[in-house]
């Protein structure tokens, strides 16, 4: 098998991983620029993908540009491999790139994710690719792109701090619970994508490379391994993560992000790990939890 | 004629001017804009620019405050952070820093100078947060101090400006600007649209703050009573040209130029 | 014991099968062919080609069939296909003056060289449902002989002779290769060529509504339809090996030039200003609305006050793309239960604290 047949492995009539080589080159250049300037949004000539805008095309373009024959791809949405859109995207790459796919975080070399970071710590040889709907953290404070560009260039981030002040004045807390803005490498304010703030600390000094793709808005950004990522707050109102009183009903974890599941008409609830692979792994290691089930 | 009047200005000639204006010209159409403006402003000095509407005074103010590029001329500002700056020949980033720290702008309409959708406290605290203040309690304390200084009930710190009266909104604008102890404030008809009694209160407040804090002010107004109360010096404008300058009392009590005479006589006042 | 829901793959497969079944409908009825769609629904095809940005009526018809008649979905299919097409190069600028005119009208003059050629249009029909069509009883009309076509010089050039309208090109200005907005990211402010590309492939409904606002007072627009012409235009390409242009095909185009008023400045005496629009096929509505919106977007360039959304470049150009808009709106159908869980946790916490505060106050 030579390089040419390798490249054509995959869906009939399409290049490896769907995008043509020129496009991949263009995207990789944007990625390199993003890695060189952590947290800075690099504009790129986003391509039309066969999935709708807003459904992960940015993440997909990044994945398509970095994926190779020997990669193992994991795709999750809301932390689970089996949600419909994760299934759809995983199939897309299985078809157009013919690569191996996996549900196990430990086995994956590339992980494309929507709205969660895996619970299991990632390693240096892994890449986490986030799907981002709106890359601009200041967008809802300042709708104009021309103005937000200046604000980033001049580090004028006071307006965001004003929003946080207002939250504390009104609610006694910073009220943002997901899509919580961060400072990267002490220089650029970044939108971490709509992950729950629970996941923000995982980004700080992560050994894996983190790439972010916003297809709709045509922006790519990156956080290189072992980079400082700090969530915005006040000295006297420090950043806090979410917590639950309950543990996971399946594996007993007291430190994962939990999904709330309504199990009957009376509204009885149950809490289970949102990261299905992590939950499965814990059950394998420790057995299912012995807590009484409702 | 105006140069004769200029030579009568007194005490600040020994200091460095805070602002030097040389040959500023900006015209949209013949007679619409401002032309050939020259003056120096010293620390602690209040300069009033007066004239009818359409005289070009607002255009001039915009050119002086780096918000409108003139067709020709220079504005040199002596910055505490950057030294002498030619406003239109320097980095935009420097101008923006200036606007947030050493300068203040009080607009005629509060909505142009405030964030109407955040609280009074946030409005005052914004400049502090922009320069890196990160302690909520400290920001709130400073905001309360300044609310007191401008005579707004501190209990209203969490109210939005849209819930304030016109006079209160103007006072909030002032507080928002003063929190970084600026050296130079630009004001465009700050009492416009306010009730007479409210105006008086505001003017009194401004006068006290100016002298307490040693502020330099350039104030544009069509109201000569406002000018007399606040300004040390006046510049009279008509159809884009400066027709007379001098000490406030001299210009108002002994006007030399026929237009100034007309202005001062009761016909054209309001 | 609670078992996590599985079976996402199976659900998707079944969904696709059901969709195909619904698309086909009652099998006792004859299946609609792609050729039938292409022939008998030409105006739908035109819209899909414009927003899909590919001139290929057969592919547009296929897309429409595959999409169960949903124009937005069909446009998406065509766009996605376009991405995979190899590029040979760029054609020479199209010479619409040499158009083989089948329809040409002007609202600014009663009569003009070349005449008012009504062509085929719904404009003057009475909108009464024709039930003979229901009975499939339309006898095809034999087309009559078309007479010799007169020369049709541009209306706007007639105004130009008196210097009454702004030049579309400054004397001595060279043709420039426009930036291709499908290859490079757009920055604001965008130049006119990029704005036009954006508008032409933009959602027709959005442009129509924006034009409506501009004409109803949310804009300083007093437009006249200077000229609209529809017809075949030849497409030429200069292959590297030959070094001279050859015709590679023809496209059916509709071109619209609008005349708008301008208030002169102290340097310039008053002149009319232009708005330009062009679209594939017989898409008159599209061509006209492009011309109206593009003129509104020129407000800043022409020294007019920017007061309304239609004049705001960033507002308009960021939201014209129907494919993006559809995608983002429909993405709300994706699972958001993790973000929602975060909000639930936050709101419950705040309410609890609030309740505690109330309790303490009452004690």
């Amino acid at each position: 098998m030579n390089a040419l047949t390798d490249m054509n492995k995959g869906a009939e009539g399409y290049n490896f991983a769907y995008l043509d080589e020129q496009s991949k080159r263009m995207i990789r250049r944007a990625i390199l620029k993003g890695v060189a300037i952590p947290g800075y949004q690099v504009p790129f000539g986003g391509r039309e993908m066969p999935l709708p805008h807003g459904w992960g095309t940015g993440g997909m373009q990044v994945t398509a540009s970095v994926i190779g024959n020997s990669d193992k791809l994991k795709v999750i949405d809301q932390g689970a491999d089996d949600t419909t859109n994760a299934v759809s995207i995983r199939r897309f790459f299985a078809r157009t790139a013919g690569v191996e796919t996996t549900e196990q975080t430990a086995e994956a070399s590339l992980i494309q994710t929507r709205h969660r970071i895996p619970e299991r710590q990632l390693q240096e040889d892994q890449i986490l690719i986030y799907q981002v709907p709106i890359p601009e953290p200041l967008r809802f404070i300042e709708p104009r792109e021309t103005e937000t560009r200046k604000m980033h260039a001049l580090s004028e981030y006071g307006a965001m701090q004003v929003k946080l002040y207002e939250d504390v004045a009104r609610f006694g807390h910073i009220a943002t619970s997901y899509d919580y803005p961060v400072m990267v490498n002490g220089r650029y304010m970044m939108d971490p994508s709509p992950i729950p703030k629970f996941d923000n600390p995982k980004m700080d000094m992560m050994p894996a490379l983190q790439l972010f793709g916003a297809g709709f808005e045509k922006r790519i950004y990156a956080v290189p391994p072992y980079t400082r990522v700090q969530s915005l707050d006040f000295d006297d109102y420090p950043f806090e993560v979410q917590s639950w009183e309950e543990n996971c009903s399946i594996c007993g974890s007291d430190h994962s992000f939990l999904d709330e599941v309504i199990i009957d008409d009376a509204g009885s609830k149950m809490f289970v790990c949102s990261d299905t692979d992590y939950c499965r792994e814990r059950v394998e290691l420790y057995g299912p939890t012995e807590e009484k089930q409702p | 004629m105006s140069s004769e009047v200029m030579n009568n200005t007194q005490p600040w000639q020994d200091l460095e001017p805070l602002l030097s204006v040389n040959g500023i010209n900006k015209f949209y159409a013949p007679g619409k804009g401002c032309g050939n403006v020259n003056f120096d402003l010293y620390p602690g000095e209040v300069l009033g620019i007066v004239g009818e509407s359409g005289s070009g005074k607002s255009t001039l103010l915009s050119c002086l405050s780096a918000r409108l590029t003139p067709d020709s001329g220079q504005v040199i500002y002596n910055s505490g952070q950057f030294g002498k700056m030619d406003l239109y020949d320097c980095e935009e980033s420097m101008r923006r820093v200036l606007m947030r720290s050493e300068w203040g702008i009080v607009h005629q309409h509060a909505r142009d100078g405030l964030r109407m959708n955040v609280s009074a406290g946030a409005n005052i605290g914004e400049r502090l947060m922009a320069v890196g203040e990160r302690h909520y309690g400290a920001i709130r304390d400073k905001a309360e101090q300044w609310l007191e200084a401008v005579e707004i009930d501190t209990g209203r710190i969490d109210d939005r400006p849209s819930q304030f009266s016109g006079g209160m909104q103007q006072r909030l604008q002032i507080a928002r600007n003063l929190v970084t102890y600026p050296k130079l404030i630009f004001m465009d008809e700050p009492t416009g649209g306010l009730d007479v009694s409210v105006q008086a209160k505001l003017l009194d407040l401004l006068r006290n703050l100016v002298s307490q804090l040693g502020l330099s002010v350039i104030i544009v107004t069509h109201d000569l009573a406002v000018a007399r109360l606040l300004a040390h010096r006046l510049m009279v404008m008509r159809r884009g040209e400066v027709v007379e300058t001098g000490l406030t009392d001299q210009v108002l009590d002994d006007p030399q130029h026929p237009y100034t005479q007309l202005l001062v006589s009761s016909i054209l006042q309001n | 014991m609670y078992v996590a829901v599985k079976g996402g793959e199976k659900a998707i497969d079944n969904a696709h099968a059901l969709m195909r079944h619904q698309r086909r409908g009652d099998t006792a009825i004859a299946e609609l062919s792609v050729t039938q769609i292409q022939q008998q629904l030409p105006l739908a095809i035109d819209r899909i080609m414009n927003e899909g940005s590919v001139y290929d009526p057969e592919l547009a018809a296929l897309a429409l069939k595959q999409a169960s008649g949903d124009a937005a979905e069909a446009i998406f299919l065509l766009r996605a296909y376009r991405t995979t097409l190899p590029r040979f190069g760029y054609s020479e600028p199209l010479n619409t003056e040499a158009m083989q005119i089948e329809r040409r009208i002007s609202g600014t003059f009663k009569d003009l060289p070349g005449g008012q050629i009504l062509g085929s249009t719904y404009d003057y029909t009475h909108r009464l449902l024709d039930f003979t069509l229901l009975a499939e009883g339309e006898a095809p009309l034999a087309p009559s002989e078309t007479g010799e076509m007169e020369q049709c010089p541009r209306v706007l050039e007639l105004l130009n002779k008196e210097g009454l309208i702004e030049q579309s090109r400054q004397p001595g200005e060279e043709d420039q290769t426009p930036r291709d907005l499908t290859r490079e990211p757009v920055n604001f402010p965008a130049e006119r060529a990029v704005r036009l590309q954006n508008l032409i492939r933009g959602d027709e409904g959005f442009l129509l509504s924006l034009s409506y606002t501009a004409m109803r007072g949310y804009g300083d627009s007093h437009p006249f339809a200077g000229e609209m012409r529809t017809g075949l235009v030849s497409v030429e390409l200069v292959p590297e090996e030959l070094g001279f242009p050859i015709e590679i095909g023809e496209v059916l185009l509709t071109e619209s030039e609008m005349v708008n008023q301008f208030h002169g400045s102290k340097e310039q005496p008053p002149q009319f200003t232009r708005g330009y629009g062009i679209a594939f096929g017989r898409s008159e509505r599209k061509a006209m609305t492009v011309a109206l919106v593009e003129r509104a977007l020129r407000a800043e360039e022409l020294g007019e006050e920017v007061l309304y959304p239609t004049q705001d470049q960033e507002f308009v150009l960021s939201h014209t793309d129907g494919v993006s808009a559809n995608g983002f709106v429909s993405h709300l159908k994706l699972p958001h239960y993790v973000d929602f869980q975060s909000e639930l946790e936050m709101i419950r916490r705040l309410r609890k604290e609030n309740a505690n505060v109330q309790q303490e106050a009452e004690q």
Side-chain angles (χ1 to χ4, degrees):
Chain A
M1 274 231 281
N2 59 25
L4 218 60
T5 44
D6 272 355
M7 268 210 319
N8 290 330
K9 187 165 74 157
E12 178 89 26
Y14 291 99
N15 195 26
F16 180 80
Y18 182 78
L19 287 179
D20 59 282
E21 293 302 311
Q22 282 287 22
S23 297
K24 287 187 206 168
R25 210 165 293 155
M26 180 270 300
I27 292 170
R28 282 184 208 129
R29 270 189 226 118
I31 292 173
L32 284 176
K33 191 163 180 185
V35 171
I37 314 173
Y40 169 75
Q41 300 166 50
V42 183
F44 77 109
R47 298 289 182 259
E48 309 277 0
M49 298 290 282
L51 270 71
H53 286 228
W55 292 53
T57 57
M60 284 169 70
Q61 288 180 70
V62 171
T63 300
S65 304
V66 304
I67 198 165
N69 273 322
S70 56
D71 275 306
K72 270 220 186 112
L73 177 67
K74 173 177 164 85
V75 183
I76 47 173
D77 185 343
Q78 313 293 294
D81 305 83
D82 196 44
T83 45
T84 44
N85 207 40
V87 168
S88 173
I89 292 175
R90 191 168 55 244
R91 274 192 172 171
F92 173 81
F93 284 111
R95 230 173 74 197
T96 61
V99 291
E100 253 188 270
T101 61
T102 177
E103 294 193 5
Q104 296 185 38
T105 308
E107 302 262 311
S109 59
L110 291 183
I111 302 170
Q112 180 170 329
T113 178
R114 176 169 174 267
H115 295 188
R116 285 258 24 234
I117 298 179
E119 303 286 356
R120 185 186 222 280
Q121 209 200 33
L122 298 179
Q123 307 306 316
E124 285 176 3
D125 56 358
Q126 294 178 303
I127 302 179
L128 185 60
I129 299 167
Y130 298 73
Q131 296 173 206
V132 182
I134 295 185
E136 178 51 68
L138 298 163
R139 181 60 66 230
F140 293 103
I141 294 175
E142 175 51 68
R144 324 195 66 85
E145 166 76 12
T146 42
E147 186 57 27
T148 51
R149 264 214 309 266
K150 275 197 198 137
M151 289 163 86
H152 283 294
L154 303 173
S155 284
E156 283 182 13
Y157 293 132
M160 176 61 83
Q161 208 68 28
V162 167
K163 184 218 177 273
L164 300 181
Y165 170 100
E166 202 63 3
D167 278 356
V168 177
R170 218 182 299 178
F171 302 116
H173 282 282
I174 295 171
T176 309
S177 66
Y178 64 94
D179 222 343
Y180 195 107
V182 295
M183 283 300 280
V184 177
N185 204 29
R187 173 57 180 91
Y188 280 99
M189 189 180 291
M190 186 184 90
D191 183 316
S193 84
I195 53 177
K197 63 176 180 169
F198 183 86
D199 282 341
N200 277 21
K202 300 186 175 83
M203 300 179 75
D204 188 29
M205 302 300 279
M206 187 193 276
L209 170 63
Q210 300 172 77
L211 300 177
F212 299 79
F216 175 51
E217 300 275 333
K218 305 198 190 342
R219 297 282 185 275
I220 281 174
Y221 46 103
V223 176
Y226 300 111
T227 303
R228 296 253 48 199
V229 178
Q230 285 153 311
S231 303
L232 269 47
D233 60 10
F234 287 104
D235 297 340
D236 47 345
Y237 282 85
F239 172 75
E240 281 173 354
V241 296
Q242 291 112 332
S243 60
W244 288 258
E245 281 163 10
E246 303 82 352
N247 292 349
C248 171
S249 300
I250 299 179
C251 74
S253 166
D254 62 351
H255 55 269
S256 327
F257 190 94
L258 302 179
D259 290 338
E260 186 171 320
V261 181
I262 310 217
I263 48 181
D264 61 30
D265 284 347
S268 314
K269 303 192 194 88
M270 214 171 127
F271 292 84
V272 294
C273 286
S274 127
D275 186 337
T276 50
D277 182 60
Y278 187 67
C279 200
R280 172 206 56 80
E281 204 179 19
R282 280 183 54 91
V283 168
E284 264 175 32
L285 287 174
Y286 309 117
T289 184
E290 272 142 28
E291 279 179 26
K292 281 275 180 288
Q293 305 306 333
Chain B
M1 192 199 308
S2 48
S3 54
E4 279 178 278
V5 183
M6 277 289 273
N7 287 336
N8 285 329
T9 53
Q10 283 175 27
W12 298 281
Q13 277 171 330
D14 306 328
L15 304 170
E16 284 265 12
L18 187 63
L19 195 74
S20 276
V21 180
N22 307 315
I24 289 293
N25 283 293
K26 174 70 186 178
F27 280 101
Y28 297 106
K32 261 211 104 198
C34 61
N36 196 24
V37 181
N38 300 279
F39 67 90
D40 287 333
L41 183 76
Y42 291 88
E45 206 185 353
V46 180
L47 172 70
I49 305 177
V50 298
E52 302 171 281
S53 60
S55 57
K57 42 192 209 299
S58 290
T59 306
L60 176 59
L61 194 71
S62 297
C63 290
L64 298 177
S65 56
R67 287 175 296 154
L68 182 64
T69 310
D71 298 330
S72 62
Q74 279 183 318
V75 180
I76 314 277
Y77 172 71
N78 192 7
S79 158
Q81 296 168 73
F82 304 119
K84 280 222 173 72
M85 294 168 64
D86 182 340
L87 285 188
Y88 293 105
D89 189 28
C90 69
E91 299 279 334
E92 187 183 358
S93 55
M94 285 162 75
R95 279 199 297 268
R96 284 167 79 115
V97 169
L98 219 54
M99 302 264 211
R100 287 200 307 263
S101 51
E102 292 184 45
W103 281 8
I105 302 184
V106 178
H107 299 260
Q108 180 174 4
H109 302 292
R111 76 184 102 88
D112 296 326
L114 293 173
R115 287 193 190 267
M116 300 303 275
N117 62 345
V118 301
S119 64
N123 266 287
I124 298 177
E126 178 162 5
R127 282 195 176 196
L128 299 172
M129 292 186 259
V131 297
E133 177 61 70
R134 287 291 176 270
H135 193 277
Y136 175 81
I139 295 167
R140 208 169 162 81
D141 284 342
K142 288 225 182 72
E144 278 179 357
Q145 280 171 36
W146 281 104
L147 284 174
E148 266 185 53
V150 299
E151 295 166 25
I152 295 178
D153 171 18
T154 56
R156 307 211 56 185
I157 187 174
D158 293 325
D159 289 345
R160 303 242 178 97
S162 46
Q163 298 164 293
F164 287 7
S165 68
M168 280 171 78
Q169 287 178 352
Q170 289 305 68
R171 282 180 277 142
L172 182 60
Q173 255 205 90
I174 292 164
R176 178 176 155 92
N177 279 290
L178 294 183
V179 76
T180 50
Y181 295 98
K183 301 191 339 180
L184 173 57
I185 310 261
F186 299 92
M187 298 195 203
D188 192 347
E189 307 276 10
T191 56
L194 294 179
D195 219 348
V196 174
S197 58
V198 174
Q199 276 190 40
K201 209 168 162 223
L202 187 66
L203 290 173
D204 224 20
L205 176 71
L206 279 173
R207 205 161 54 144
N208 289 332
L209 287 173
V210 165
S211 80
Q212 274 169 38
L213 301 172
L215 298 173
S216 297
V217 181
I218 299 180
I219 175 168
V220 157
T221 180
H222 67 279
D223 187 339
L224 296 182
V226 171
R228 190 190 283 275
L229 204 65
L230 288 182
H232 301 113
R233 269 199 298 152
L234 284 191
M235 227 161 66
V236 183
M237 290 190 71
R238 175 182 186 245
R239 301 236 194 98
E241 305 289 335
V242 178
V243 299
E244 186 162 355
T245 67
L247 294 181
T248 305
D249 289 340
Q250 282 178 349
V251 171
L252 294 181
D253 294 336
D254 187 23
Q256 298 294 307
H257 192 277
Y259 176 70
T260 320
Q261 291 166 351
L262 205 56
L263 206 62
V264 167
S265 74
S266 46
I267 301 169
L268 283 175
Q269 280 190 36
N270 277 61
Chain C
M1 177 177 136
Y2 176 76
V3 175
V5 172
K6 286 231 157 251
E9 301 228 1
K10 194 116 209 303
I12 291 187
D13 286 336
N14 289 341
H16 290 168
L18 190 58
M19 181 268 288
R20 278 193 293 274
H21 177 81
Q22 281 182 352
R23 178 170 67 203
R24 177 61 184 85
D26 188 346
T27 46
I29 312 275
E31 185 175 345
L32 200 56
S33 76
V34 170
T35 340
Q36 282 176 315
I37 296 175
Q38 184 182 346
Q39 284 297 312
Q40 296 169 35
L41 297 176
L43 297 179
I45 299 302
D46 287 343
R47 178 173 174 197
I48 294 164
M49 292 197 295
N50 275 314
E51 296 182 35
S53 285
V54 175
Y55 188 87
D56 188 325
E58 186 185 52
L59 282 183
L62 170 61
L64 193 58
K65 175 169 176 176
Q66 187 174 333
S68 301
D70 181 2
E73 189 61 39
I75 288 162
F76 189 5
L77 283 167
L78 215 56
R79 282 275 192 94
Y81 184 69
R82 183 187 193 277
T83 306
T84 66
L85 294 173
R87 287 156 180 265
F88 296 120
Y90 294 95
S91 73
E92 294 295 285
L94 300 179
N95 183 6
T96 50
E97 239 181 288
M99 183 189 277
Q100 291 175 49
I101 291 187
E102 67 171 53
R103 174 160 154 77
R104 187 266 204 143
I105 54 167
S106 168
T108 45
F109 294 103
K110 179 165 178 173
D111 200 3
L112 63 171
Q116 306 266 16
I117 304 161
L118 227 42
S120 119
T121 173
Y122 278 94
D123 284 351
Y124 301 101
T125 60
H126 298 154
R127 270 63 172 191
L128 305 168
L129 281 176
D130 183 355
F131 291 97
T132 61
L133 281 176
L134 192 58
E136 285 182 81
E138 181 167 61
L141 298 167
S144 55
E145 272 291 309
T146 44
E148 178 74 22
M149 277 295 307
E150 254 185 78
Q151 278 296 311
C152 289
R154 289 186 181 292
V155 171
L156 265 48
E157 290 316 304
L158 299 174
L159 291 173
N160 212 359
K161 287 203 167 66
E162 280 182 75
L164 292 175
I165 190 162
E166 57 166 346
Q167 303 270 38
S168 56
R169 181 210 298 245
Q170 298 312 311
E173 196 185 330
E174 285 293 307
D175 273 345
Q176 289 175 334
T177 309
R179 262 199 315 156
D180 184 343
L181 74 46
T182 64
R183 294 259 126 188
E184 298 170 37
V186 177
N187 274 325
F188 298 109
E191 64 264 34
R192 194 176 181 196
V194 170
R195 300 200 297 259
L196 281 168
Q197 288 173 59
N198 177 299
L199 294 177
I200 292 169
R201 74 201 321 244
D203 181 78
E204 188 173 304
F206 185 55
L207 289 181
L208 179 62
S209 299
L210 284 177
S211 306
Y212 192 34
T213 66
M215 293 173 69
R216 277 196 80 248
Y218 292 90
D220 215 1
S221 176
H222 302 281
F224 290 90
E227 179 165 3
M228 196 175 68
R229 50 172 68 196
T230 301
L232 287 170
V233 177
S234 98
V235 180
E236 296 187 346
L237 182 78
V238 178
E240 252 185 83
E241 304 85 345
L242 294 180
F244 57 82
I246 55 167
E247 180 178 312
I248 57 171
E250 282 180 324
V251 291
L252 185 65
L253 291 176
T254 299
E255 187 188 56
S256 163
E257 295 203 272
M258 293 284 180
V259 179
N260 294 265
Q261 188 123 51
F262 179 55
H263 312 286
S265 72
K266 59 183 164 93
E267 284 117 28
Q268 281 215 305
Q271 272 186 321
F272 291 120
T273 51
R274 297 167 177 262
Y276 183 82
I278 191 164
F280 289 140
R282 301 185 175 93
S283 309
E284 298 180 2
R285 189 179 309 120
K286 188 56 175 288
M288 290 172 69
T289 51
V290 167
L292 288 168
V293 175
E294 91 103 5
R295 171 58 180 85
L297 291 179
R298 294 181 63 212
E300 215 179 321
E301 167 197 332
L302 292 170
E304 294 166 356
E305 241 191 310
V306 174
L307 293 172
Y308 307 109
T310 309
Q311 300 168 304
D312 184 333
Q313 261 198 57
E314 215 180 304
F315 178 82
V316 171
L317 301 177
S318 303
H319 303 108
T320 46
D321 193 42
V323 175
S324 297
N326 271 311
F328 203 46
V329 168
S330 64
H331 111 285
L332 292 175
K333 295 183 275 186
L334 286 180
H336 281 79
Y337 54 83
V338 164
D339 342 355
F340 189 66
Q341 176 66 208
S342 307
E343 293 284 77
L344 274 179
E345 197 263 354
M346 172 66 71
I347 200 175
R348 282 175 180 149
R349 178 186 295 239
L350 293 176
R351 286 172 67 88
K352 201 158 95 166
E353 282 170 12
N354 206 286
N356 288 341
V357 167
Q358 301 280 39
Q359 260 191 345
E360 276 165 32
E362 277 153 28
Q363 278 163 4

